[in-house]
Amino acid sequence: MTRSELITALMQKNPHLQLKEATRLVNIVFGTITSSLAEGSRVELRGFGAFSVKERDPRIGRNPKTGVQVQVGKKLVPFFKTGKELHQRLNKPVTGSKRSRSSV
């Protein structure tokens, strides 16, 4: 789902919202999450998951074009861990379907 699809879905579920208001709400939510992560804070949305920042250690990388080794410094990267409810919803047991076996 893209940002514009999210805004459209928000407007469909809340007919009293105008496009401008729905866009503003989505931008506020994403902006707040982004700002919190930039400050090094963790953002937890119960039932959905938690956003945090992890640090990658410095390493020796390789320039894919030339093959020359280069030093890559430490980096901060965003990390998302699914919440229990989301994880369970994504991993519902499948009933009534048989796995096809390939004959070798």
Side-chain angles (χ1 to χ4, degrees):
M1 175 179 272
T2 64
R3 181 184 296 245
S4 60
E5 291 170 339
L6 179 61
I7 292 167
T8 302
L10 184 62
M11 287 174 36
Q12 287 173 350
K13 292 188 179 193
N14 299 281
H16 63 280
L17 286 177
Q18 298 295 319
L19 175 63
K20 191 174 184 178
E21 295 167 323
T23 302
R24 185 170 176 259
L25 288 171
V26 169
N27 288 339
I28 287 170
V29 171
F30 288 154
T32 303
I33 291 171
T34 302
S35 297
S36 295
L37 291 176
E39 294 170 1
S41 298
R42 182 173 184 262
V43 177
E44 182 177 338
L45 304 171
R46 297 279 171 144
F48 182 70
F51 296 92
S52 60
V53 177
K54 289 196 174 192
E55 185 175 308
R56 286 193 184 160
D57 293 331
R59 62 184 174 85
I60 295 177
R62 188 174 300 275
N63 181 330
K65 201 171 195 177
T66 63
V68 175
Q69 289 186 345
V70 293
Q71 185 66 33
V72 178
K74 72 176 182 177
K75 292 182 180 181
L76 297 175
V77 294
F79 179 75
F80 177 75
K81 180 173 168 106
T82 59
K84 184 178 178 181
E85 290 175 36
L86 176 59
H87 184 78
Q88 288 174 343
R89 192 168 180 183
L90 292 175
N91 293 293
K92 286 182 185 175
V94 179
T95 56
S97 66
K98 294 181 180 180
R99 289 187 179 178
S100 63
R101 291 186 171 197
S102 60
S103 56
V104 179

